[in-house]
Amino acid sequence: MKDTVADLAILGGTPTFPQMLQVGTPSVGERSRLFERLHTALDNKWLTNGALVREFEERIAALAGVRHCVATCSGTMALQLLYRATGLTGEVIMPAMTYVATAHAASMLGLTPVFADIDPETGCLDPQRVETVLTPRTSGIVGVHLWGRPSPAGELEKVAAAHGLTLVFDAAHALACSHQGRRIGGFGSAEMFSFHATKVVNCFEGGAVATNDDALAGELRALRTFGITADGRSVGVGTNAKMTEASAAMGLTSLDAMATTVRHNRANHARYRAALRGLGGLTVVDFDEAQEPNWQYVILRIDEAVTGIHRDLVMRILRAENAGAQRYFSPGCHQLEPYRSQRPVSLPHTERLAEQVLALPTGPAVGAADIDRICSIVRCAISHGPELTNRLRPSPTRPFATS
C-alpha cells in the first residue's frame, strides 16, 4: 500500500504491480470450450462467415432485442458499412467525446464529421446542441453510448425526424445495456457493437450492426461480402468485412461467460467507489441500475481546481506503479488531426470532461486486492496533490509526459 509520497514508484519507490494491469483485460471464458469450437470450424473446413458466425449473430440479436445482427471483422468496419448502407452523405453530426474511430469511419467514406457538444453530466450528445450545427448538408446523426451510458435516444429520434435525418448509434460500449426499458441495439436505424479484446464480450477483434430493418440488414450483408448477395448476385460495390469462424468461436465463448464477467465488473466498480469515497475533487462515475449497465468501465473525474493535481499526473503516477490507467477519451476528436485543422470548433463541455476523466483497470483479471492497492495509490496522489504537482511539475529539462 502507498501510505506516503515517498512510497510512490514515480519518486523512487517499488512499483505496486510486477506487470502492467490493463483497463480492459479480455474476457476469455472457458478455454476448453473455445478450443472445441475452433476444432469444429477446422472439421467443417469453413473458416469465414460460417455456422459459428451465424450462431454468434443470432445470440447477439437476441441479446439486443432485434431481428438482425450482421457480424463484421471489426467495429470500425461495422461503422463504415452502417454509414454506407444508410446512405449518409455530406455532413454527419456526432459527439467529439468518443473514440476517434467514430469520426474516422465517416471520413474514410468522404463524409464530414461535425462535432456537437455533450451533456456535461452524462457525457453523451446533447440534442439541443445538435440543432445548433445543422446545415443543408447534414444527412445524419451518430449518437454514442459513452462508457455504456445510453445516449438520449428518444430526443435524438425527435430531432432526426423533424429534419429528415438518419439516426444511428455507436454502441461499442453498450452491449446488453438498456434505455427506457429497451435493450441497446434497437434505436435509430441501426446500432454498432464492438467486440474488440477490451470489451465485455470479445471476438479477438470484431464488430456487428444490430437492426430491425430487414432491407438494411440485407444491404449490410451484401456490403460486407464484396457487394454479393446470399444467392450470388453482385448488386453493387462492397468490401471484405466478414467475421472469421475463429473470431466467432471466441465471441461465443466470451458470451457464455458474460453474466459472470458483468457480476465481477459490478463488484469491482462497487469496491472502487467505496474505497475512493470522500476524496474532495474526485468522483467515480456512477451508472443507473435501471439501465442494466455492463460495468465495463471504472471512470474517475478529477477536478484539478479542488485536488491540486491534474488528471494526467495522476495517470503518470498510476502507470509508474504498473496500474495502466487511460484517458477515455482525451483529447476530444475535434482537437485531433485532421479535424482540428479542417474545422476548428470550441466544445466547452467536451473539453472540460475530456480533461478530467481517467479509466482504471478492471475486468476478470482484476480482483479485490488489486483494487485496494490501486485505490491506495489514488488516495495518496489526491491527498498530496499540490505537493506532487510541485515536485513533478514539468520543466524545460523534464517535459511533462502524459502517457
Side-chain angles (χ1 to χ4, degrees):
M1 296 295 182
K2 303 293 176 172
D3 298 317
T4 69
V5 294
D7 296 325
L8 295 173
I10 200 168
L11 293 174
T14 302
T16 300
F17 301 103
Q19 295 180 319
M20 189 70 75
L21 283 183
Q22 301 298 338
V23 166
T25 52
S27 172
V28 174
E30 188 178 340
R31 292 191 183 198
S32 60
R33 188 71 182 98
L34 169 63
F35 295 146
E36 286 176 13
R37 287 178 166 124
L38 291 171
H39 285 310
T40 296
L42 294 173
D43 291 343
N44 288 343
K45 298 180 177 57
W46 195 289
L47 304 184
T48 301
N49 208 29
L52 293 177
V53 170
R54 289 192 294 275
E55 181 184 352
F56 182 71
E57 289 177 329
E58 290 169 1
R59 288 181 62 177
I60 294 298
L63 188 60
V66 296
R67 289 197 298 275
H68 303 284
C69 169
V70 181
T72 59
C73 57
S74 73
T76 301
M77 286 305 302
L79 275 175
Q80 288 189 345
L81 297 189
L82 176 56
Y83 294 162
R84 176 72 179 272
T86 51
L88 294 177
T89 61
E91 296 175 352
V92 182
I93 299 170
M94 62 183 66
M97 190 66 189
T98 182
Y99 189 55
V100 74
T102 313
H104 282 355
S107 295
M108 287 286 287
L109 296 177
L111 302 170
T112 301
V114 174
F115 300 110
D117 215 349
I118 57 172
D119 179 320
E121 294 303 315
T122 67
C124 294
L125 189 62
D126 184 339
Q128 293 184 355
R129 301 286 178 173
V130 170
E131 300 257 27
T132 68
V133 295
L134 289 169
T135 75
R137 296 189 67 237
T138 305
S139 66
I141 303 169
V142 182
V144 176
H145 305 302
L146 182 67
W147 312 317
R149 282 177 151 187
S151 198
E155 296 173 59
L156 290 174
E157 285 174 342
K158 290 177 183 177
V159 173
H163 298 278
L165 304 174
T166 297
L167 174 64
V168 298
F169 288 92
D170 180 333
H173 299 173
L175 183 69
C177 301
S178 67
H179 179 55
Q180 297 178 337
R182 292 168 55 192
R183 279 289 173 88
I184 298 297
F187 292 98
S189 295
E191 306 202 50
M192 180 280 294
F193 291 120
S194 170
F195 302 108
H196 181 264
T198 60
K199 299 300 187 288
V200 69
V201 168
N202 88 90
C203 291
F204 298 127
E205 184 74 80
V209 178
T211 184
N212 281 311
D213 186 323
D214 299 345
L216 179 60
E219 176 75 6
L220 288 163
R221 293 186 191 283
L223 281 173
R224 75 170 175 188
T225 318
F226 308 103
I228 298 172
T229 62
D231 59 4
R233 293 180 298 113
S234 178
V235 294
V237 174
T239 189
N240 183 4
K242 301 186 300 294
M243 178 178 280
T244 68
E245 290 289 271
S247 290
M250 180 70 263
L252 288 165
T253 308
S254 188
L255 263 176
D256 292 342
M258 183 178 179
T260 300
T261 301
V262 170
R263 283 195 299 272
H264 186 91
N265 286 348
R266 186 177 186 276
N268 281 359
H269 191 275
R271 196 171 189 93
Y272 271 117
R273 287 198 71 203
L276 296 175
R277 186 176 292 120
L279 286 175
L282 181 144
T283 304
V284 179
V285 172
D286 202 5
F287 295 88
D288 183 350
E289 295 270 7
Q291 295 171 344
E292 301 179 87
N294 58 32
W295 308 99
Q296 183 172 299
Y297 296 102
V298 175
I299 305 292
L300 302 186
R301 290 188 67 169
I302 300 170
D303 186 345
E304 183 182 13
V306 178
T307 62
I309 187 169
H310 190 271
R311 178 274 317 274
D312 285 349
L313 182 49
V314 176
M315 182 175 71
R316 284 179 61 205
I317 290 167
L318 282 163
R319 293 186 73 84
E321 303 287 349
N322 285 329
Q326 295 185 30
R327 296 169 293 188
Y328 268 52
F329 297 96
S330 178
C333 291
H334 68 300
Q335 295 175 314
L336 300 175
E337 294 296 352
Y339 312 109
R340 179 175 61 182
S341 299
Q342 291 176 348
R343 194 178 184 124
V345 61
S346 174
L347 303 174
H349 293 319
T350 299
E351 289 156 23
R352 177 173 171 76
L353 182 62
E355 275 289 303
Q356 294 183 340
V357 294
L358 188 64
L360 298 181
T362 189
V366 177
D370 300 320
I371 292 168
D372 292 343
R373 294 186 181 100
I374 292 168
C375 289
S376 78
I377 301 164
V378 174
R379 293 190 72 90
C380 185
I382 298 298
S383 300
H384 299 88
E387 177 187 351
L388 289 165
T389 297
N390 185 59
R391 293 182 65 172
L392 297 167
R393 166 182 293 126
S395 68
T397 58
R398 188 180 63 210
F400 187 75
T402 59
S403 62

